[in-house]
Amino acid sequence: MEIATSLQQIPSSYIREILAAASDKNVISLAGGLPDEKTFPIDLMKATLEGLSDMPEVFQYGATAGYGPLLTFLNTYFELPESHMAMVCTGSQQGLDLIARAYVNPGDKVVMEAPSYLGAMQVFGLVQADMVTVPQTEFGPDLTALETCFAEQSPKMFYAVPDFHNPTGVCWSLETRQQVAALCIKYKVALIEDAPYRELRFAGDALPLVSDFCPQNSIVLRSFSKIASPGLRIGVVTGKRSYIEPMVKVKQGADLHSSVPMQALLLGLLEHKDFDQHIDTIRSLYKSRYETLFSELQQKLPEGCELNAVDGGMFVWVTLPECDTFALAKSLLSNGVAVVPSPVFYPKPESADAALRLNFTNATNEELAEAVTRLAAGLREQLSAVTNQEVPVFV
Amino acid sequence: MEIATSLQQIPSSYIREILAAASDKNVISLAGGLPDEKTFPIDLMKATLEGLSDMPEVFQYGATAGYGPLLTFLNTYFELPESHMAMVCTGSQQGLDLIARAYVNPGDKVVMEAPSYLGAMQVFGLVQADMVTVPQTEFGPDLTALETCFAEQSPKMFYAVPDFHNPTGVCWSLETRQQVAALCIKYKVALIEDAPYRELRFAGDALPLVSDFCPQNSIVLRSFSKIASPGLRIGVVTGKRSYIEPMVKVKQGADLHSSVPMQALLLGLLEHKDFDQHIDTIRSLYKSRYETLFSELQQKLPEGCELNAVDGGMFVWVTLPECDTFALAKSLLSNGVAVVPSPVFYPKPESADAALRLNFTNATNEELAEAVTRLAAGLREQLSAVTNQEVPVFV
């Protein structure tokens, strides 16, 4: 049976492959985007887990938009105006998939920053969107390029990760947020604001959502995978009713609804008096790991490599002198450290600048220090090889 | 933001609407396809539920194809050959959606019996398949019509529910199963065998899956919603690896993976020594309800209505003299009984014969008897009105 045309164009996930290789005990993985298993608030979920057997209603079919008591809670939790609604998804990844399926026709233009989140490229690829990229600066998207793009290309939506971007860790400035919102309104472009790392801020003050400045023009994706547990597969999409209702219709066909016991479990967790403190604990842990990774990198990276400080999230982005980053990642893997090379984060991989994404949430401080030692050694070897052999510039 | 073309063609689910209306306490609903909440094997799940808090690994991201220990169990449980694999989905509804997304291009022909499962029509509608129907007899699809269709139209797949079809309750004969498999092989048509009601047999002997006769040409969808709990949203798809792997790729984008705690919970249930006995209990209960519904219908239905006996499943199909079944369903609802009119089960509703789908699994024997009294009274009223007024034939 021949696979659908839309699927033929989707590359298989390089990250999945490298994650599989990275499961070797001798490899320290900075490749994934996994939260630390030890941070999962299982103690705070225990009572609800045990109480589920007294809630027969959660074992029956549920409403497509979500478990009623959770939706009621979320309306308050996210301070949704009367015009807006929340829909529960099987992870925020499904929310993104439903947005693409509800709104994007083949050839429709979807704007994103380059580099961008791999899972978003997969989803928009499946609906055969025309993915248009704008460059990213340290404050967010290049606003001149974004306005030109909006004006000349009339895109349908702008997909963005304004808080601690995956893969670069960039957090948009307040001014950028206001200006992007204004551009979305001016050019009638829907903003798809993906906020999975928003709560993982360990420095500076929280900024408003970009969507706060254009609530009628935006859909927000929320994840509980980084602050609670990814295994549950419960995410939330919010936006004005007329934006969310078509997605509910697609979700009916996609999976009828998400697991109700898992929705009840999440509700119990969000209502737990110690949940905020749990988030503070995660933030402190990740802050310490980030600081270790960053200072080790500063000390050990060879010349020509650059890194930007981040205020939260899960990733550090290291830009490199021009080289074949795939070959580099492969050689680093055999050196005992797994990383992700930059081209996988670009809709057009050949246009990628050489860089690596490093994760700091799923390895201990000791492992991070050792990983950087291996990384620096591998980098020196690879970069000097490039220089000495005067090989042509790799993509 | 304008919705996608593919979604514009999907009617909103009439069943969802009627289910909402049927939640009125004064209405007895025979409209849904819900298992009885009291049958959920919560006692058999309790120990696993309480043990989840000692399994931190189920709270982490999981593999897209499913939770390893569950997949290992399913290989044995379903006696899969080496060439085949199982993939866990967010309900078997997602399995169907992934099949459509992985294989169907707009305009590709998908064959199904008429009437057919509403959720399948939604899914194939979303990928803009050309849905081609063949008539159904009491033994399964009309084989002559099916062969003509396969020969003349070269469809990509044949979607079928051979065990206790939704909505008609028809169970294919052994001969039909063998012949359909032979036709699928001969004409290179993939069989999509949807088996959610297979375990709900309360009379006669189990027959082989149709796929047992064409294992290299088929994908099987399995549900645990009718024998365990629909709230969990865990279903399974099986087939040869080359059929399943493209679906795993789509699932990566769709939701990364299904809830891991729910997969662990299902595994605990399937391994429980009392699970088989639990299924026997459900079968006995539904047998008794079916017998009540059937005998009440036999006694009370006005002339011109016909019903076929079933050996399992959740539904009885009542064919009626020509009438406007939507108007009838609406008037029955105001008489205190909810049913589903036949046109919603046809890709071309205007071609539907007048009939009603009645569910017997979610009402008590007493409620079923009272529901039939109301149904019969409403039917008499409506049918005599049609005759007396000599109105034109309704669709």
Side-chain angles (χ1 to χ4, degrees), chain A residues 316-331:
Chain A
V316 167
W317 186 246
V318 183
T319 54
L320 308 174
E322 268 178 4
C323 66
D324 178 345
T325 52
F326 279 109
L328 174 63
K330 200 176 254 187
S331 102

Side-chain angles (χ1 to χ4, degrees), chain B residues 42 57 139 207 210-211 282 288 296 352:
Chain B
I42 299 177
E57 70 279 13
F139 306 110
L207 293 170
V210 183
S211 302
I282 298 178
S288 145
E296 292 285 334

Side-chain angles (χ1 to χ4, degrees), chain A residues 2 4-5 10 35 59-61 93-94 97 101-102 105 122 156 226 229-231 233 249 252-254 260, chain B residues 2 4-5 10 35 59-61 93-94 97 101-102 105 122 156 226 229-231 233 249 252-255 260:
Chain A
E2 199 187 2
T5 311
I10 307 297
F59 294 91
Q60 185 56 284
Y61 282 110
Q93 179 70 31
Q94 190 194 34
D97 191 45
R101 297 177 74 185
N105 290 315
Q122 275 185 310
K156 190 148 199 176
K226 321 305 179 196
S229 148
R233 307 310 301 130
K249 206 164 148 186
Q252 272 186 22
V260 192
Chain B
E2 199 187 2
T5 310
I10 307 296
F59 294 92
Q60 185 57 284
Y61 281 110
Q93 179 71 32
Q94 190 195 33
D97 190 45
R101 297 177 75 186
N105 290 315
Q122 275 185 310
K156 189 149 200 178
K226 321 304 179 195
S229 147
R233 306 311 303 130
K249 206 164 147 185
Q252 271 185 22
D255 62 7
V260 193

Side-chain angles (χ1 to χ4, degrees), chain B residues 15-55:
Chain B
I15 288 204
R16 286 266 154 185
E17 284 164 33
I18 212 166
L19 285 180
S23 66
D24 181 335
K25 295 251 170 201
N26 298 316
V27 172
I28 301 173
S29 178
L30 311 185
L34 277 62
D36 189 320
E37 210 164 289
K38 292 186 195 70
T39 67
F40 298 153
I42 299 177
D43 284 351
L44 308 190
M45 294 194 279
K46 202 172 159 73
T48 311
L49 267 175
E50 290 174 1
L52 288 175
S53 44
D54 297 320
M55 301 170 71

Side-chain angles (χ1 to χ4, degrees), chain A residues 36-85:
Chain A
D36 189 320
E37 210 163 289
K38 292 186 195 69
T39 66
F40 297 153
I42 299 178
D43 283 350
L44 308 190
M45 294 194 278
K46 202 171 160 72
T48 310
L49 266 176
E50 291 175 1
L52 288 175
S53 44
D54 297 320
M55 300 169 71
E57 71 278 13
V58 303
F59 294 91
Q60 185 56 284
Y61 282 110
T64 301
Y67 176 56
L70 177 60
L71 290 177
T72 303
F73 177 89
L74 294 172
N75 284 341
T76 308
Y77 194 63
F78 294 136
E79 300 175 350
L80 299 184
E82 194 57 39
S83 57
H84 281 46
M85 67 179 279

